[in-house]
Amino acid sequence: MNQVISFHGVSGTLVCQAGCVLEELSRYVEERGFIVPLDLGAKGSCHIGGNLATNAGGLRLLRYGSLRGTVLGLEVVLADGTILNCLTSLRKDNTGYDLKQLFIGSEGTLGVITAVSILCPPKPRAVNVAFLGCPGFAEVLQTFSTCKGMLGEILSAFEFMDAECMRLVRHHLLLACPVQESPFYVLVETSGSRAEHDAEKLSSFLEQALGSGLVTDGTLATDQRRVKMLWALRERITEALSRDGYVYKYDVSLPVDRLYDLVTDLRARLGPRAKHVVGYGHLGDGNLHLNVTAEAFSAPLLGDLEPYVYEWTAGQRGSVSAEHGVGFKKRSALGYSKPPEALRLMQQLKTLLDPKGILNPYKTLPAQA
């Protein structure tokens, strides 16, 4: 289940089996001048079928969109053993319902994905990464707006992390901060076809950002070694957190202007009961990774976190799971993001496609929808 079935060098369409490891697929298409439109910190171990089943977001969503847009077709085995072959490579097909969307993000509860057809964009010829320090979250937001306006089509990632994240990365992983200490840090990536064109745009942006006080310090990387070094500061936050103690993890979508308010509110709510409360994530997607560390698991601390985090998120009409899925832990929290009518329809679909409840049971849907 880990074979590439075909790759079309003109359209960039990759057809492969669901057991292919994401990093190996990336290497395969990069050798042919393309990239997979999905990049994750866990790319060395995750499988493309699992990525689709959880509708993984990752670091390239700002540029290339979600898997719901880049996946062209699927092959799925249903609960009764029927093989649903919708493995099309067509970009346009308006013949009835788009059945593949039922299975993307369904976490294996409606069918088992066995093969995928996915559209891969051309590999950028020039990649630049800027790592910047910002004096406040308001400046982070303004920097993002400036980025979109000045970098336009070459902007491929906009990630943020707070000072607590940087301290943990430095303390536990011994990674050096490349800019002066700041309350917030931003990683900006550009990907384009002409190095000179991209460098000119990026230089103009940096000049504007530094001159206006949005950014207090910054560094730029153009060679692959330095690019990887700067990305490591963002991608290895999870590793640093795991070394800090027990971690309570939340992955929420919020309006970007309220994204960090949840972190601030939670620090005030928890006080010294939490070792660290940190916020980082994909600002361009409105996706906050909220993490709380403690010396050990504590039921009272969990009680202070839940359902408070879910209620706070629901109050902003956000999502309690931006990209990590629902699984066991969040199935009872689904009602904070979906109305009862939607939950009933989901249960009806589950009953229709899996009447015996044998596919990934006890996950995704609440016990009583």
Side-chain angles (χ1 to χ4, degrees):
M1 294 296 295
N2 61 352
Q3 300 299 307
V4 171
I5 298 170
S6 66
F7 180 75
H8 196 278
V10 176
S11 66
T13 303
L14 171 71
V15 182
C16 65
Q17 295 176 327
C20 291
V21 174
L22 179 59
E23 189 170 46
E24 293 174 3
L25 282 182
S26 296
R27 203 158 34 236
Y28 178 89
V29 297
E30 282 181 24
E31 290 171 355
R32 290 154 178 81
F34 291 80
I35 61 170
V36 177
L38 174 70
D39 189 19
L40 305 172
K43 55 181 171 276
S45 58
C46 63
H47 300 105
I48 191 67
N51 297 149
L52 268 61
T54 55
N55 191 27
L59 305 168
R60 287 176 175 161
L61 191 140
L62 177 63
R63 175 70 176 270
Y64 301 114
S66 76
L67 290 171
R68 293 194 182 278
T70 53
V71 170
L72 301 175
L74 293 178
E75 179 187 79
V76 180
V77 177
L78 303 181
D80 64 0
T82 300
I83 298 175
L84 181 65
N85 188 345
C86 293
L87 203 60
T88 178
S89 295
L90 302 174
R91 294 192 66 177
K92 285 186 172 184
D93 182 6
N94 274 350
T95 51
Y97 303 128
D98 190 2
L99 295 177
K100 67 177 181 290
Q101 299 296 349
L102 279 177
F103 303 98
I104 298 173
S106 69
E107 302 185 29
T109 60
L110 301 180
V112 179
I113 296 171
T114 52
V116 56
S117 170
I118 187 167
L119 188 64
C120 298
K123 181 180 178 180
R125 296 179 184 176
V127 176
N128 301 292
V129 169
F131 197 86
L132 314 171
C134 292
F137 192 69
E139 286 78 13
V140 171
L141 293 175
Q142 292 175 55
T143 301
F144 178 50
S145 295
T146 304
C147 256
K148 290 193 293 182
M150 297 188 70
L151 298 179
E153 79 288 349
I154 65 170
L155 179 63
S156 53
F158 192 98
E159 303 285 310
F160 91 98
M161 56 193 283
D162 61 19
E164 288 291 300
C165 289
M166 180 60 77
R167 281 192 276 273
L168 290 171
V169 165
R170 293 171 70 177
H171 176 70
H172 292 295
L173 306 180
L174 304 179
L175 299 181
C177 179
V179 298
Q180 69 184 41
E181 191 170 333
S182 303
F184 291 91
Y185 302 91
V186 165
L187 184 148
V188 178
E189 183 189 75
T190 63
S191 304
S193 58
R194 276 187 59 228
E196 302 84 0
H197 170 266
D198 295 1
E200 183 181 340
K201 276 195 163 189
L202 195 53
S203 295
S204 297
F205 157 71
L206 291 173
E207 185 179 337
Q208 168 73 14
L210 285 163
S212 62
L214 296 179
V215 170
T216 52
D217 193 19
T219 186
L220 180 63
T222 56
D223 65 277
Q224 193 172 18
R225 183 189 64 83
R226 287 246 322 144
V227 164
K228 286 185 176 180
M229 185 187 76
L230 294 181
W231 264 114
L233 293 168
R234 163 62 183 86
E235 288 188 307
R236 297 184 68 187
I237 294 173
T238 301
E239 181 184 349
L241 284 163
S242 69
R243 299 188 185 190
D244 197 54
Y246 186 86
V247 189
Y248 303 83
K249 293 176 176 286
Y250 299 93
D251 159 58
V252 298
S253 283
L254 292 165
V256 289
D257 58 323
R258 298 300 311 275
L259 200 67
Y260 200 73
D261 291 347
L262 177 54
V263 182
T264 305
D265 287 2
L266 211 54
R267 281 184 183 144
R269 177 179 173 84
L270 300 179
R273 286 169 292 169
K275 192 174 178 183
H276 291 102
V277 179
V278 307
Y280 66 98
H282 319 295
L283 187 85
D285 314 333
N287 183 186
L288 171 70
H289 296 311
L290 169 68
N291 287 253
V292 178
T293 65
E295 292 296 345
F297 173 77
S298 164
L301 181 55
L302 180 61
D304 286 331
L305 286 165
E306 298 175 18
Y308 180 81
V309 170
Y310 301 140
E311 290 171 346
W312 199 103
T313 301
Q316 303 301 317
R317 296 187 64 83
S319 170
V320 299
S321 179
E323 64 178 3
H324 290 172
V326 178
F328 285 114
K329 289 189 173 182
K330 292 182 181 175
R331 60 193 294 242
S332 61
L334 218 57
Y336 291 103
S337 296
K338 290 288 187 289
E341 297 80 8
L343 293 178
R344 278 198 298 272
L345 183 57
M346 289 180 193
Q347 190 62 63
Q348 289 166 1
L349 286 169
K350 171 69 172 173
T351 302
L352 174 67
L353 292 174
D354 183 19
K356 296 181 180 179
I358 62 174
L359 294 177
N360 222 4
Y362 319 117
K363 290 187 179 178
T364 306
L365 294 178
Q368 297 293 328

